[in-house]
Amino acid sequence: MGTPWSQESSPDEGQPADWNRPWAPARRVLLAVLIISLLLGSSVLLVFIFRNCGPRPCDTPVCLDLLARYTASGNSGVDACTDFFSLACGKANGTSNSFRDLAEENKSRLRRILEAPGSWHPGSGEEKAFQFYSSCMDTQAIEDAGTGPLRQVIEELGGWHISGNWTSIDFNQTLALLMSRYGHFPFFRAYLQPHPAPPHTPVIQIDQPEFDAPLKQEQEQKIYAQIVREYLTYLNQLGTLLGGDPGKVQEHASLSISITSRLFQFLRPLEQRQAQGKLFHTVTIDQLQEMAPAIDWLSCLQATFTPMLLSPSQPLVVHDLEYVKNMSQLVEGLLVKHRNFLQSHMILGLVGTLSPALDSKFQEARRSLNQKLRELTERPPLPAHPRWMECVEETGTYFEPTLAALFVREAFGPSTQSAAMELFTAIKDALIARLKRLPWMNEETRKEAQDRVTHLQVKIGAPEWALKPELAKQGYSDIQLGPSFLQSVLSCVRSLRARIVQSFLEPFPHHRWQVSPWGVNAYYSMPDHVVVFPAGLLQPPFFHPGYPRAVNFGAAGSIMAHKLLHIFYQLLLPGGCLNCDTRALQEASLCLERHYAAFPLPGRTSFNGSTTFLKNAADVGGLSIAFQAYSRSLIRHRGETTLPNQDLSSHQLFFRSYAQQTISESPPGLKSPSPLCHLRMYHYTAQASLDS
């Protein structure tokens, strides 16, 4: 029994049997057509589903620009699984440095801001910053001024025997003028910074000076003699440019080198002071006066750190007390026998300090000296920078609040800030998850490590003050520009020092940024337990809200993870983790050292992983954590994109992005293992770390 629509008629009950036979072939053809159509439709549907489930190509302008960067540095003709190094870095030359390139791009952005036409409120910080940059770029006016502005400075200091009359004013009065008005410290450096020991309150610190020539006695005698010869030639040039008599110039320049060499002999390397447990001494001004009486410490420091009110009981931090004592004895002897030569020594040093603000003859003499000294000490030559870049750097130094606000406004809007914070949160969560699985940590240490990550403060983009629009209009009422560029620079030097001192006198913030917002160096501050990622670092090609997530995690994410791991450096040092499983930790450390040592360097030498163990651990661990964070993001978020015409999976694009920021020796100012070693090992290292 069934419904009428489901019952079949038999030949005996209806039509004759022959009636259905002509339609049988048609039924079979129709059934076949229906089956084929169903299969084709299903195939099309499956293709549509799979194509839309995979990463979509990103064809926005920012992605196409990134694609052009990748094409310029890599060889897209090789297979990713066969030779990933050539794929990522096959066209990169030996001078490539992604951090330096990014820093220059940020300066180019500042240049466009400073050269853009605009009307500013008279006397505002913006107007003064733009005027200062413009006067720096006006090289013809600097050439026309010649040595006149510099001669005026020398007269204010009492003159010198080399090219005029010398008024023998008090030595300490001259020294106070050099330090306070001209920013020159010929015998020692004095600066205001947090105390090296907790609670890190601001304190005046006395440190070794910075010298133009590296006159180290342990150098090979031939090299030492060549350095002295080059430096003597330079000092003779300075005296001659200022109209000095050649005989007098030679005599004064020779004694100036002798003074510098003697001061060099008093220096003690940081390692030696560290081994002796004497990295710094805390003394009062009165006590320092007794130990180094040649310097009138109270008057010189009071002039330098106005508006601070100093007293003889003011505490100081002296980083090398023995150097200061020996320096004082040397100065005392020179004041008795060679007072005029001491004056010339200080003025020659000042001229070298001011050379960037002088005409092309002084700048070329300085540039030639630097290049020759680098050749003699076997250091790579400094790249030649265009004038606009030097002027941007000078303007950024003296007008940082104004340029910071302008840079952040243009390059790091709220959407970028939000995306960067989201990336950091994902990296931090992945690190906390990784800590739970480390076999060499016991529960107590694991809990402490997780708490340190949880309580870490992060600063992304710029300091709070740079996000306030009114600061771009700061007046800098104490800066007087002109009539010469040198005078503008000297006014800016005094203004900057006063602002620094004033900032330390105000309520102490949790953390003072150690990098400009347009800088590219992220860092971790151990005293403040804060990690900082400036806006200048979170720029293309390392980061952009419109990039595929693989790109952001691979470049900026790995940098973030690397800096986070600095929190645990102490645990990896010998005896740094008493509650850890030392055997398991040692095995992991040896595994990492062997892993790095297995990679050959140019010249058939091997890489010594033990000498840079902490950085290697942060490199490998940071890459691993960033990769885990990215893999977790693929599960939580849909809509991943990729770069067009690259034929790279999302994971391959992650490592391609990591490679792009690894094409460098290191960020400026930081030491790092060989870039070639990093580039050839990074994808293997990542896989090994993921398996460990």
Side-chain angles (χ1 to χ4, degrees):
M1 297 291 294
T3 63
W5 310 104
S6 64
Q7 293 179 350
E8 294 183 4
S9 299
S10 66
D12 298 334
E13 295 178 354
Q15 302 294 334
D18 294 340
W19 191 87
N20 286 321
R21 288 175 184 170
W23 297 99
R27 289 178 180 176
R28 286 194 291 269
V29 171
L30 181 60
L31 181 60
V33 170
L34 289 174
I35 292 174
I36 292 173
S37 300
L38 182 61
L39 291 174
L40 288 175
S42 300
S43 301
V44 171
L45 180 61
L46 288 173
V47 170
F48 177 81
I49 291 174
F50 280 109
R51 288 190 62 180
N52 283 273
C53 285
R56 303 186 314 277
C58 174
D59 55 3
T60 61
V62 293
C63 287
L64 295 179
D65 176 72
L66 181 66
L67 178 61
R69 293 174 186 263
Y70 286 2
T71 303
S73 62
N75 183 2
S76 58
V78 300
D79 181 64
C81 297
T82 303
D83 189 355
F84 198 82
F85 171 74
S86 297
L87 173 78
C89 316
K91 296 179 183 177
N93 57 43
T95 61
S96 297
N97 185 311
S98 56
F99 284 89
R100 183 179 61 236
D101 294 344
L102 179 56
E104 292 180 0
E105 288 182 24
N106 291 341
K107 291 171 187 174
S108 295
R109 186 188 291 268
L110 288 175
R111 178 193 185 186
R112 292 193 296 271
I113 293 173
L114 289 168
E115 294 182 354
S119 58
W120 312 107
H121 188 273
S124 67
E126 291 165 327
E127 183 188 54
K128 286 190 174 180
F130 281 64
Q131 288 177 346
F132 180 87
Y133 174 79
S134 178
S135 64
C136 180
M137 292 294 291
D138 190 356
T139 54
Q140 187 59 54
I142 296 173
E143 296 295 323
D144 293 342
T147 61
L150 181 57
R151 290 175 183 270
Q152 182 180 344
V153 169
I154 295 175
E155 289 176 6
E156 291 174 0
L157 292 168
W160 60 346
H161 269 310
I162 286 182
S163 62
N165 295 324
W166 173 49
T167 303
S168 181
I169 62 176
D170 179 71
F171 162 76
N172 277 290
Q173 183 180 344
T174 303
L175 182 60
L177 284 173
L178 284 170
M179 294 168 58
S180 62
R181 291 184 59 80
Y182 305 112
H184 180 57
F185 298 82
F187 303 106
F188 57 89
R189 283 187 299 137
Y191 51 88
L192 190 62
Q193 277 192 3
H195 196 289
H200 308 293
T201 53
V203 62
I204 295 175
Q205 306 191 32
I206 309 298
D207 209 342
Q208 300 170 348
E210 296 176 342
F211 296 101
D212 290 332
L215 302 177
K216 298 179 181 179
Q217 292 296 332
E218 64 268 18
Q219 285 170 329
E220 189 178 324
Q221 189 62 33
K222 181 180 178 182
I223 301 297
Y224 181 86
Q226 288 178 307
I227 291 176
V228 169
R229 193 179 305 116
E230 294 294 344
Y231 193 51
L232 180 60
T233 301
Y234 170 69
L235 295 182
N236 281 328
Q237 281 183 288
L238 297 186
T240 303
L241 289 172
L242 287 165
D245 174 78
K248 285 185 178 180
V249 171
Q250 178 77 17
E251 183 183 13
H252 285 247
S254 297
L255 194 58
S256 177
I257 289 180
S258 176
I259 294 172
T260 301
S261 182
R262 291 283 304 279
L263 291 174
F264 249 112
Q265 294 176 28
F266 302 150
L267 300 180
R268 292 187 304 157
L270 177 64
E271 295 79 9
Q272 179 183 342
R273 289 184 282 141
Q274 192 170 17
Q276 296 173 350
K278 297 179 179 178
L279 283 177
F280 64 88
H281 294 78
T282 301
V283 299
T284 65
I285 291 180
D286 220 7
Q287 291 171 332
L288 188 59
Q289 191 65 55
E290 293 182 8
M291 291 183 279
I295 310 297
D296 186 345
W297 293 99
L298 182 59
S299 63
C300 287
L301 296 179
Q302 181 63 80
T304 304
F305 294 103
T306 300
M308 287 182 70
L309 297 177
L310 305 182
S311 68
S313 60
Q314 180 79 27
L316 307 171
V317 166
V318 181
H319 287 268
D320 190 347
L321 191 56
E322 291 303 313
Y323 166 83
V324 173
K325 291 178 181 179
N326 291 326
M327 174 271 299
S328 176
Q329 292 178 2
L330 175 63
V331 170
E332 281 184 310
L334 292 169
L335 287 173
V336 173
K337 298 181 180 180
H338 303 291
R339 182 183 292 264
N340 61 334
F341 289 101
L342 193 62
Q343 175 81 356
S344 298
H345 171 74
M346 292 190 291
I347 290 179
L348 284 170
L350 173 64
V351 175
T353 300
L354 298 180
S355 61
L358 303 177
D359 64 43
S360 57
K361 301 182 186 68
F362 289 92
Q363 293 184 39
E364 182 54 39
R366 182 77 173 191
R367 189 178 301 112
S368 176
L369 172 68
N370 289 337
Q371 296 290 63
K372 290 176 180 177
L373 291 181
R374 295 185 75 86
E375 290 175 7
L376 290 173
T377 54
E378 298 182 345
R379 290 178 294 171
L382 291 172
H385 293 307
R387 178 70 182 181
W388 69 262
M389 188 176 293
E390 296 175 359
C391 292
V392 164
E393 291 172 353
E394 288 283 297
T395 309
T397 297
Y398 301 126
F399 297 90
E400 181 177 353
T402 295
L403 263 64
L406 295 173
F407 180 84
V408 170
R409 184 189 309 168
E410 179 172 311
F412 203 73
S415 61
T416 306
Q417 169 93 17
S418 176
M421 184 59 75
E422 181 181 345
L423 174 63
F424 175 79
T425 301
I427 296 295
K428 185 174 73 171
D429 291 345
L431 173 58
I432 293 175
R434 183 65 177 270
L435 291 174
K436 297 177 181 178
R437 303 195 305 272
L438 286 179
W440 49 269
M441 277 189 178
N442 63 7
E443 288 305 315
E444 180 182 355
T445 306
R446 197 185 322 277
K447 178 66 166 58
E448 292 176 359
Q450 290 174 343
D451 288 344
R452 285 189 62 77
V453 176
T454 302
H455 295 123
L456 175 74
Q457 291 203 44
V458 58
K459 305 291 183 181
I460 291 181
E464 287 77 3
W465 53 260
L467 305 177
K468 299 176 182 178
E470 61 271 16
L471 284 175
K473 307 181 185 301
Q474 181 173 320
Y476 307 99
S477 59
D478 56 342
I479 291 181
Q480 302 298 321
L481 299 180
S484 70
F485 180 61
L486 175 60
Q487 289 167 313
S488 296
V489 169
L490 293 175
S491 180
C492 288
V493 167
R494 293 189 286 271
S495 173
L496 176 61
R497 178 171 293 105
R499 292 202 306 273
I500 292 174
V501 172
Q502 189 62 44
S503 71
F504 277 100
L505 295 177
E506 294 171 353
F508 186 68
H510 175 70
H511 178 72
R512 301 178 191 275
W513 278 54
Q514 302 168 17
V515 62
S516 299
W518 57 84
V520 298
N521 286 340
Y523 65 91
Y524 167 67
S525 171
M526 184 179 295
D528 298 333
H529 194 48
V530 60
V531 63
V532 175
F533 302 100
L537 175 67
L538 300 172
Q539 300 293 319
F542 293 174
F543 181 83
H544 191 280
Y547 280 169
R549 283 196 298 274
V551 173
N552 289 336
F553 275 90
S558 62
I559 295 172
M560 289 178 173
H562 177 110
K563 297 304 174 184
L564 279 178
L565 290 177
H566 285 204
I567 302 172
F568 306 113
Y569 269 10
Q570 185 64 34
L571 294 178
L572 300 182
L573 295 174
C577 186
L578 299 177
N579 295 326
C580 292
D581 185 338
T582 54
R583 182 176 179 180
L585 178 57
Q586 186 178 17
E587 288 178 356
S589 302
L590 290 174
C591 175
L592 182 63
E593 289 183 18
R594 287 194 297 267
H595 184 67
Y596 268 74
F599 291 91
L601 291 177
R604 297 184 179 180
T605 59
S606 61
F607 184 81
N608 186 354
S610 62
T611 58
T612 53
F613 169 71
L614 291 178
K615 176 164 177 49
N616 298 344
D619 283 341
V620 176
L623 177 58
S624 172
I625 290 165
F627 186 77
Q628 290 179 8
Y630 174 62
S631 299
R632 293 172 63 173
S633 77
L634 290 178
I635 299 174
R636 298 180 180 180
H637 303 281
R638 294 184 179 180
E640 173 65 309
T641 58
T642 189
L643 295 181
N645 305 320
Q646 285 290 286
D647 195 27
L648 293 177
S649 69
S650 297
H651 287 169
Q652 288 173 327
L653 182 59
F654 169 92
F655 288 107
R656 179 67 182 84
S657 175
Y658 174 79
Q660 190 69 24
Q661 63 93 1
T662 313
I663 304 176
S664 67
E665 296 81 11
S666 65
L670 300 179
K671 294 182 179 180
S672 168
S674 163
L676 187 62
C677 181
H678 271 305
L679 285 170
R680 285 180 173 167
M681 75 168 67
Y682 71 87
H683 63 291
Y684 305 109
T685 301
Q687 188 58 52
S689 64
L690 290 173
D691 295 338
S692 64

